[in-house]
């Protein structure tokens, strides 16, 4: 609740309409409850990811007998498998959430983390189980925290309300990044092995099961749910169903989903492995230095999102905001390929406006409007769009991991891996938007002013 209070003060809310009826007050209460619950859910989900940010690469490197290149390939292969399996999980789960509601599927991520945390804690020398749990954990955490939370927000929020909620969630992500490294570092300091961090993961995940069960409202009313009788089983498990975005969706919708899919190649989940390898093996940072950097980075993300995120979204057009954040992200990754610690730290500043998917906020909010206008189910569409992103996110870690391993084995400059990331996640989507998207497609239609009689 303390976290929610901070975000409420720091990130301005959308103004309430004049002359609200009793029904309007109730609906606004649902929206506020959803925003608060989504903030808490995002905070806890990111905690579970960041909690292993040093421990998991350490454990996998240990399983590879200290071979950095081999561990990078294993991390890349498992991340690619996450993307492939996510195609099935997102599609089936998103479709089923349109039938049974959002809340049951929100719990799947933390429940899987409890199971995987306990398994790795008990079997930390088993390479197959460690990698299998990594894949299952990442698939289900991504599903519950992106597909389902995105669907829930789309059920009730649109336009500026959706943007405001997204900014608060981004600030919560920053807050989680601030707190969690100190928890991980304390666990590693006080215990004899990184496997104990997985036990801590099971504890944190159990807390999320409890808070989500109590706090998160069901957003999909029974009257709006799809029926099981109309469920096409083949369609529900078809990993290529995201192609319906191009077959059935408008040019504007499909174009913006494509652009945001490339932008999300720079999402924190896709960068954590190569970043940890770089800090440990090239910057030669200690565990404490890495922890302090993650804490500093989280504070910067929190402050940037809470203080400036919503203001930037409101003051700029959708195209202008996207171009601005693409430009700053490209600059950040141009600077990040360095072995100088001060320059690596300095690169954090231009990264902030578009960090962790923030560069997609304007276009994602516009997509939410178009989804309603074009008659798609929110759960089904969220599954489609996340599967398209999963394709890009499957290619990215494999390409980056193998490119890095090739550079290391051939004696080439490994810093160019960050330049490759900047091109894929910032330069290329900007080119696509400029070449293929019209202003009339990207910008929301002006709303008619409402006057009271």
């Amino acid at each position: 609740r303390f976290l929610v209070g901070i975000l409420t003060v720091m990130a301005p809310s959308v103004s309430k309409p004049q002359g609200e009826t009793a029904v309007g007050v109730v609906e606004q209460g649902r929206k506020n409850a959803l925003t608060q619950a989504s903030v808490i859910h995002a905070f806890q989900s990111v905690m579970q990811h960041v909690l292993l940010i040093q421990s998991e690469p350490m454990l996998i490197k240990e399983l590879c007998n200290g071979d950095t290149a081999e561990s990078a390939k294993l991390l890349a292969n498992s991340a690619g498998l996450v993307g492939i399996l996510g195609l099935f999980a997102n599609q089936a789960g998103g479709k089923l959430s349109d039938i049974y509601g959002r809340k049951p599927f929100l719990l799947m991520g933390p429940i899987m983390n409890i199971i995987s945390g306990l398994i790795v804690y008990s079997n930390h020398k088993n390479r197959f189980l460690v990698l299998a749990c990594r894949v299952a954990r990442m698939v289900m955490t991504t599903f519950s925290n992106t597909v389902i939370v995105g669907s829930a927000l789309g059920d009730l929020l649109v336009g500026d309300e959706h943007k405001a909620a997204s900014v608060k969630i981004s600030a919560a992500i920053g807050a989680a990044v601030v707190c969690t490294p100190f928890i991980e570092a304390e666990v590693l300091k006080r215990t004899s092995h990184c496997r104990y961090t997985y036990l801590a993961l099971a504890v944190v995940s159990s807390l999320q099961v409890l808070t989500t069960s109590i706090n998160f409202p069901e957003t999909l009313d029974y009257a709006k749910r799809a029926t099981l009788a109309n469920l096409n089983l083949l369609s529900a498990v078809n990993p290529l169903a995201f192609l319906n975005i191009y077959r059935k969706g408008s040019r504007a919708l499909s174009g913006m989903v494509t652009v945001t899919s490339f932008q999300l190649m720079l999402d924190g989940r896709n960068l954590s492995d190569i970043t940890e390898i770089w800090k440990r093996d090239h910057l030669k940072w200690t565990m404490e230095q890495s922890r302090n950097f993650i804490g500093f980075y989280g504070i910067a993300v929190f402050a940037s999102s809470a203080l400036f995120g919503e203001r930037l979204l409101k003051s700029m057009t959708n195209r202008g905001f996207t171009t601005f954040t693409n430009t700053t992200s490209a600059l950040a990754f141009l600077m990040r390929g360095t072995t100088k610690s001060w320059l690596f730290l300095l690169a954090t500043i231009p990264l902030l406006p578009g960090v962790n998917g923030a560069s997609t906020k304007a276009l994602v909010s516009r997509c939410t409007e178009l989804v309603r206008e074009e008659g798609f189910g929110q759960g089904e569409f969220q599954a489609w769009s996340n599967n398209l992103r999963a394709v890009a996110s499957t290619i990215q870690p494999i390409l980056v991991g193998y490119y890095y391993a090739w550079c290391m084995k051939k004696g080439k400059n490994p810093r160019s891996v960050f330049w490759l990331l900047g091109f894929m996640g910032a330069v290329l989507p900007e080119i696509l938007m400029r070449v293929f998207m019209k202003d009339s497609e990207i910008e929301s239609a002006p709303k008619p002013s409402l006057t009271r009689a």
Side-chain angles (χ1 to χ4, degrees), residues 112-139:
M112 179 56 70
N113 284 347
I114 294 171
I115 296 170
S116 62
L118 294 175
I119 289 175
V120 174
Y121 171 72
S122 303
N123 302 273
H124 65 281
K125 294 183 179 180
N126 188 317
R127 180 187 290 198
F128 173 79
L129 281 179
V130 169
L131 292 173
C133 287
R134 166 180 160 85
V135 170
R137 174 175 55 81
M138 294 179 71
V139 167

Side-chain angles (χ1 to χ4, degrees), residues 63-115:
L63 292 172
C64 295
N65 298 317
D67 189 330
T68 300
E70 180 64 21
S71 63
K73 289 170 66 175
L74 275 183
L75 289 167
N77 288 338
S78 58
L81 185 58
V82 167
I84 294 171
L85 295 180
L87 296 176
F88 294 91
N90 293 344
Q91 176 61 28
K95 190 73 173 178
L96 290 172
S97 77
D98 283 337
I99 298 173
Y100 295 108
R102 314 301 183 198
K103 195 164 183 176
F105 298 90
L106 285 166
L107 300 173
M108 295 181 71
I111 289 173
M112 179 56 70
N113 284 347
I114 294 171
I115 296 170

Side-chain angles (χ1 to χ4, degrees), residues 324-358:
F324 173 70
T325 52
N326 282 341
T327 302
T328 56
S329 295
L331 175 60
F333 280 89
L334 182 64
M335 297 168 61
R336 243 189 175 191
T338 178
T339 54
K340 294 180 173 61
S341 293
W342 69 268
L343 187 57
F344 189 87
L345 288 168
L346 186 62
T348 302
I349 297 174
L351 186 61
L352 291 176
V355 70
N356 286 338

Side-chain angles (χ1 to χ4, degrees), residues 235-431:
S235 174
V237 297
N238 179 11
L240 299 180
F242 65 84
L243 294 175
N244 285 322
I245 294 175
Y246 300 94
R247 292 177 53 244
K248 299 180 181 179
S250 64
R251 167 194 162 97
L253 182 62
S254 59
M256 283 185 283
V257 169
T258 302
V259 170
T260 57
S261 297
F262 279 100
Q263 289 178 303
L264 285 169
M265 284 187 169
L266 301 184
D267 186 53
R269 290 188 300 271
N270 298 327
L271 298 175
S272 59
D273 292 336
I274 189 64
T275 302
E276 285 305 308
I277 289 173
W278 191 264
K279 288 188 296 182
R280 185 176 60 248
D281 295 336
H282 296 273
L283 298 179
K284 305 300 181 183
W285 286 2
T286 64
M287 183 178 67
E288 289 75 17
Q289 287 175 311
S290 181
R291 176 204 65 193
N292 292 340
F293 168 76
I294 296 170
F296 158 74
Y297 176 72
I299 291 172
V301 171
F302 176 85
S304 175
S305 299
L307 296 176
F308 306 114
E310 189 174 346
R311 291 175 175 84
L312 284 175
L313 281 167
K314 284 186 173 182
S315 63
M316 305 174 84
T317 63
N318 290 342
R319 181 186 290 275
F321 177 86
T322 305
T323 295
F324 173 70
T325 52
N326 282 341
T327 302
T328 56
S329 295
L331 175 60
F333 280 89
L334 182 64
M335 297 168 61
R336 243 189 175 191
T338 178
T339 54
K340 294 180 173 61
S341 293
W342 69 268
L343 187 57
F344 189 87
L345 288 168
L346 186 62
T348 302
I349 297 174
L351 186 61
L352 291 176
V355 70
N356 286 338
S359 59
T360 69
K361 299 299 183 188
L363 296 188
V364 167
S365 294
R366 174 61 179 145
C367 286
T368 303
E369 297 174 358
L370 292 177
V371 166
R372 290 188 176 189
E373 294 172 8
E374 297 177 24
F376 293 112
Q378 286 289 344
E380 184 175 48
F381 174 76
Q382 287 294 331
W384 290 347
S385 58
N386 275 277
N387 277 355
L388 184 58
R389 295 165 191 168
V391 172
S393 297
T394 298
I395 297 171
Q396 188 259 46
I398 294 176
L399 180 61
V400 167
Y402 275 81
Y403 178 75
Y404 171 82
W406 176 82
C407 288
M408 293 297 292
K409 289 185 175 181
K410 298 293 183 181
K412 304 295 182 181
N413 185 358
R415 72 179 62 182
S416 56
V417 71
F418 289 100
W419 305 339
L420 176 63
L421 282 166
F423 175 79
M424 291 191 298
V427 176
L428 184 56
E430 180 65 23
I431 292 172

